[in-house]
Structure formats: structure tokens, C-alpha cells
Amino acid sequence: MIINKRLLAALGLALFLGSSPLMAQEQPHVFKGARIIPVAGQPIENGVLVVQHGKITAVGTADKVRVPKGSVEFDMTGKVLMPGLVDTHSHLGEGSGGDASAPLHPDVRIIDGINPMSDTFKRALAGGITTVNVMPGSGHLMSGQTVYLKMREGKTVGDMAFCDDVINGICGGMKMANGTNPMKSAPFPGTRAKSAAMVRQMLLEAQQYEAKLKAAKGKADKMPERKPQLEPLVEVLNGKRIVHFHTHRYDDILTALRLQKEFGFKLVLHHVSEAWKAADEIAKAGVPASIITLDSPGGKSEAVDISNTNGAALEKAGVLTAFHTDDGITDSRLFLRGAALGVRAGMSKEKAIEALTIAGAKMLELENRVGSLEKGKDADFVVLNGEPFSVYTRVEQTWVEGQKRFDFSKPEDKAFATGGYNAYDGELHYHAH
């Protein structure tokens, strides 16, 4: 008998680790008997999901999906499976952005401030989040470049990023803000009008820089002096980098829409506390909105008119709408509950599910990989013990690219879901079921 030493070594390592990368990637995994919410179509009763090599290879009813030979099968009877959740706005990773030296820092990259070993990512996994847009703060008119991360296991930001080249690639969007956050003493703007003027001036400079680059036609002796501050803004102007715009009040929302119309960049509105006032204007502009829901009053004065009816108002107006956590403003572990509050205030369950999944994926331009359970997409999904918006429902498992990244049945994972003394490194969370 011929023994493959490499295979034996791999199997030995797999048994040592418990959860086998070899099995998850090489052997098909079949999840049977669950109610599957694919988002791409109607819910599937007694559904079957097949994954292999980190991708979905089949999804459908039990009578139509062929189970491959040699599969590892999981009985999901009584469970609900849905796509991994997409959080379009978060501050996981303990990252920091720009400083007080200037109000516009488009050259700052949150990727350079994130701790990839932070326990905050485990909080997201406990909430069913598998894709996240990590932002620098909103205390600047431009606080810098965001990064789109997948909650796969990794020791570096590059291990988690969607882009292949974290040094030279476009790995996220551009965070912008208006309203009270960036309004401070000089050199920051003191008024809303001045805020818009300063943004406009920098975008005009980026247009001029781009014109010089085009005129040089790649000839080294004609290239202008490199401007790291303007390079990402040229990408914004070219539509290669999406602007994620923190805004709350009705008048601030309209200002963001005017700047988008003037310069033609791709825009996603974030927070949009007074979206219920501006839904028609947002719809007319053809701009998506990522919103947040709150279960208690408080916060900044400009969000005094925030309403959990925002989701319903935007849905009625036909606006592509997503939810986000803004973690730590709201807790990633309670992301499903945030959308449930939107449903309670009038949003349809179907659109709320989309707002947790495919809508956010579209806003990050990642819908070809995540946001729904379809053949060929990444095997990112969540196992629930009940319907998504029930107060009795919890996330039982979170899978990322065919790897189980969270399991409530394991005490060490359960601690991240429920809290407890020293559950999170450097944080205190009380145990609460």
C-alpha cells in the first residue's frame, strides 16, 4: 500500500486543530433540512446548501440538489440559514484615522491603524457579520480611506482584505462627513457652508492634478510631483473609489447630494438620521442609503429627529437601503435586532433581510461575491435557531468561505456572544443571555 505522507500530515494537523481546513475546502459540506433564505429568491423549505473550496456549489430543495459522494453532512433541521451579514459601516479593529492637523486627510488609510488580532472582530462573528466596511472616524470632512474586510481567519489586514494588494490596491472607499462632527475651531470649518467649500476646493485640486497626469501621458519627465493626498481623490473622481458620506440632518443630506452631482462621484449616504424627510430627494438622485436604528434616545443634537421609520420611508421611495452598526455605536452582536427595529417601524421583512445582506454588498460593489446564497458565490452564511427578527433568535454558527468561524455551542465562542469577565481582551462585558 502506498502512503501519501503529505496527506497523512495534513490529516494529522486537521485532527489536532479540530476544525479541518482540509475537510472544509477539499470535501464538500452539505447542510440539509434547514429553512434557507437565499435572498436571491424565495425562502426554501427543507433546503440543501452545498459548499466546497470556499464557494457555494449548489443551493435548493432536497429533491433537486444532488449530494456529492464523500460529503460531510450537517443536519440543520429546525434551523434557518441565511447569507452572512454585510455591515457597511463599522469601526472594528481599534483603528484610528486623521489627527487635528487638518480637516481633510484623504491620504490616511484605516488599514494602517487596524489591529487584525483585535477581539472586536469576534464580536462581529458572534452577530453573524461576515463582511464589513471599516471606517476611520467622522471628525473630519475627509477622514480617509476605508477598507472592506472579510471575517476570515488571519494575522494581517491583508489576510482579511478583499483586495489583493493592500499597498497599491484600492481596498475600500473614502470616508467623508458633514454636520457637527467636523465643525470645530480652525483649521477646521466653523460653519456648514465653509465645510462644503473646503471639500469643493480639494476636489477641484484633484481635478487639476488628474488633468496634469493625463497630459503627461505616462512620460516620466512630464509627470507632475506626486501628491499622495490627491491620488485617492482622483480615484474618487474616476469612480474607482466610493465615497461613504456621514450625514444626519436634512440640509446636510442635500449638501452631500449637491456635491455628488457637481463632481459625479459614487456616493453612499450613511446614518441619514432624517432620511424620512429626504427620501424623495435621495431617490431622485439615485443614491443608496445605509442607515442605523436605535433602541433608546440620546446622542448628538443633529440626530434628534432620527426615526426608525427611515427604512420604511426609503423602501417606499425606492431607495437601495442597507443597515449598519457603526460599532461601537451599536453592538455588532445585535445587528439582526437593529434591522428588526426597522421592521417594527414599518419596513417589510423582505427588504430588511436585503438591507442586511445584498443591499450592503451592492454598496461596496461586492455583490458578485457576497450578499446572497447562490452558486459560485463565497460560502458565507449564518445558522440561526429561529426566524431572523425574533427576539428569541440567536446566531448559532457563522461560516466564512466554508470555514466555521463562530459556534455558540463552544464555551469560548459563547463567551464572545454573551459577554462575561475578560471575554474580550481589555474590555469588560457582563454575562447576559
Side-chain angles (χ1 to χ4, degrees), residues 121-258:
F121 293 115
K122 296 174 182 177
R123 189 164 68 223
L125 286 165
I129 295 169
T130 57
T131 295
V132 64
N133 179 19
V134 179
M135 306 269 206
S138 54
H140 297 72
L141 297 172
M142 291 182 189
S143 52
Q145 301 164 42
T146 80
V147 63
Y148 308 152
L149 299 179
K150 177 71 77 73
M151 297 294 98
R152 63 174 76 92
E153 187 174 1
K155 292 186 176 181
T156 70
V157 177
D159 292 335
M160 302 170 70
F162 275 86
C163 63
D164 295 325
D165 185 348
V166 295
I167 297 176
N168 302 302
I170 298 175
C171 298
M174 176 63 65
K175 176 71 178 294
M176 291 176 59
N178 63 10
T180 59
N181 280 27
M183 286 169 55
K184 307 167 188 175
S185 57
F188 286 75
T191 67
R192 282 176 160 79
K194 182 61 174 177
S195 296
M198 294 175 80
V199 169
R200 182 177 291 108
Q201 178 60 40
M202 180 156 274
L203 288 172
L204 289 171
E205 291 174 13
Q207 285 182 334
Q208 294 166 3
Y209 181 64
E210 181 184 23
K212 292 178 181 178
L213 291 173
K214 288 181 178 179
K217 296 181 179 180
K219 297 179 180 179
D221 60 331
K222 296 186 180 296
M223 290 288 283
E225 179 185 355
R226 187 178 177 187
K227 300 285 186 181
Q229 267 204 324
L230 299 180
E231 286 174 351
L233 292 183
V234 171
E235 295 166 348
V236 165
L237 293 171
N238 287 335
K240 296 178 180 178
R241 189 181 291 276
I242 300 164
V243 170
H244 297 282
F245 209 121
H246 159 118
T247 188
H248 286 277
R249 277 181 14 180
Y250 175 76
D251 51 344
D252 290 329
I253 295 168
L254 297 187
T255 296
L257 293 177
R258 280 193 300 272

Side-chain angles (χ1 to χ4, degrees), residues 262-322:
E262 181 178 354
F263 292 96
F265 51 76
K266 293 179 180 177
L267 173 65
V268 177
L269 297 172
H270 285 259
H271 306 322
V272 215
S273 293
E274 297 185 8
W276 59 275
K277 298 179 182 179
D280 290 339
E281 288 87 347
I282 296 170
K284 185 178 179 181
V287 169
S290 176
I291 62 175
I292 192 170
T293 55
L294 301 175
D295 59 3
S296 60
K300 61 191 66 176
S301 60
E302 67 179 342
V304 68
D305 282 344
I306 190 173
S307 174
N308 287 345
T309 64
N310 279 334
L314 291 167
E315 178 183 353
K316 182 179 179 181
V319 176
L320 180 67
T321 306

Side-chain angles (χ1 to χ4, degrees), residues 88-100:
T88 54
H89 186 132
S90 184
H91 299 281
L92 298 175
E94 307 166 37
S96 57
D99 59 21

